[in-house]
Amino acid sequence: MLIPSITNNLNELIDLLNQLSKKDYSNPCAELSNASIGEHTRHIIEMFQCLENQYDLGIVNYDNRERNVLIQTDMNYAIHHILEIKNNLEKENKNIDLQQMIDGEEIRIQSNYYRELLYNLEHCIHHQALIKVAVLKCENIKVDVNFGVARSTIEYRNQCAQ
């Protein structure tokens, strides 16, 4: 259920990106504290890439991202990377150590691949919610009502509607 949810979420992001102009994608937005939709998209992509690229090592450090400007300025390049992420999600669950520097001190926390996929899904939804705020000012952009909404919130709303 986790991988289909991630795939669905990434498909929603691709659908939205396909509606944007280059300007909408790469220009700073006041609604995003002068970040761009492209910057938020790059952040989503690079978090998934960290997990994928560091999976074999078994130590994941999300701070060691590439920060590839081309992803945040070229929508087609970003979509290409999203498609690669979707194609590489299926991996065996295994223990992974998370590594991060906090206040100058390195910490390591035990996790596993599936837990980190779930983290990346929730992280993606969070950034999609921010993107949605910026996109609402764009005319002629259709955004799904559930875009950027946590799965638990969607389930809760569905229960309330019954």
Side-chain angles (χ1 to χ4, degrees):
M1 194 65 199
L2 178 58
I3 291 175
S5 292
I6 294 169
T7 299
N8 180 58
N9 215 66
L10 293 174
N11 285 338
E12 289 174 354
L13 181 58
I14 290 170
D15 290 344
L16 177 71
L17 295 181
N18 279 323
Q19 297 179 65
L20 298 177
S21 69
K22 178 176 175 34
K23 180 181 172 188
D24 291 335
Y25 182 73
S26 59
N27 282 4
C29 299
E31 297 83 358
L32 298 175
S33 301
N34 289 323
S36 67
I37 292 170
E39 286 176 271
H40 282 271
T41 302
R42 176 188 53 78
H43 187 65
I44 291 167
I45 290 168
E46 290 184 341
M47 295 292 279
F48 275 106
Q49 287 175 333
C50 276
L51 180 57
E52 180 182 336
N53 295 339
Q54 298 170 36
Y55 171 86
D56 288 336
L57 181 62
I59 301 171
V60 175
N61 185 329
Y62 290 114
D63 293 336
N64 291 340
R65 298 187 305 278
E66 185 178 349
R67 293 168 173 85
N68 184 338
V69 175
L70 191 55
I71 293 173
Q72 72 188 44
T73 57
D74 184 332
M75 246 179 335
N76 292 325
Y77 189 67
I79 291 169
H80 167 77
H81 282 284
I82 295 169
L83 293 171
E84 281 186 345
I85 290 165
K86 285 176 33 180
N87 289 333
N88 292 309
L89 291 171
E90 293 277 352
K91 290 182 176 30
E92 183 180 330
N93 192 26
K94 72 174 196 175
N95 290 334
I96 289 175
D97 284 344
L98 294 180
Q99 180 182 40
Q100 188 169 353
M101 293 294 285
I102 297 181
D103 297 329
E105 196 159 327
E106 180 185 294
I107 64 162
R108 281 198 184 193
I109 299 171
Q110 290 182 340
S111 187
N112 64 61
Y113 179 65
Y114 290 164
R115 171 65 188 99
E116 294 309 306
L117 280 180
L118 180 60
Y119 166 75
N120 273 278
L121 172 61
E122 294 297 323
H123 178 262
C124 182
I125 292 168
H126 164 73
H127 280 274
Q128 285 176 314
L130 294 169
I131 290 168
K132 187 176 188 176
V133 169
V135 166
L136 292 177
K137 73 177 177 101
C138 301
E139 294 180 20
N140 301 323
I141 305 290
K142 294 181 77 173
V143 184
D144 188 281
V145 67
N146 290 325
F147 184 86
V149 178
R151 296 297 182 247
S152 61
T153 303
I154 295 168
E155 289 294 319
Y156 177 76
R157 287 177 181 169
N158 289 340
Q159 290 173 2
C160 289
Q162 293 176 6

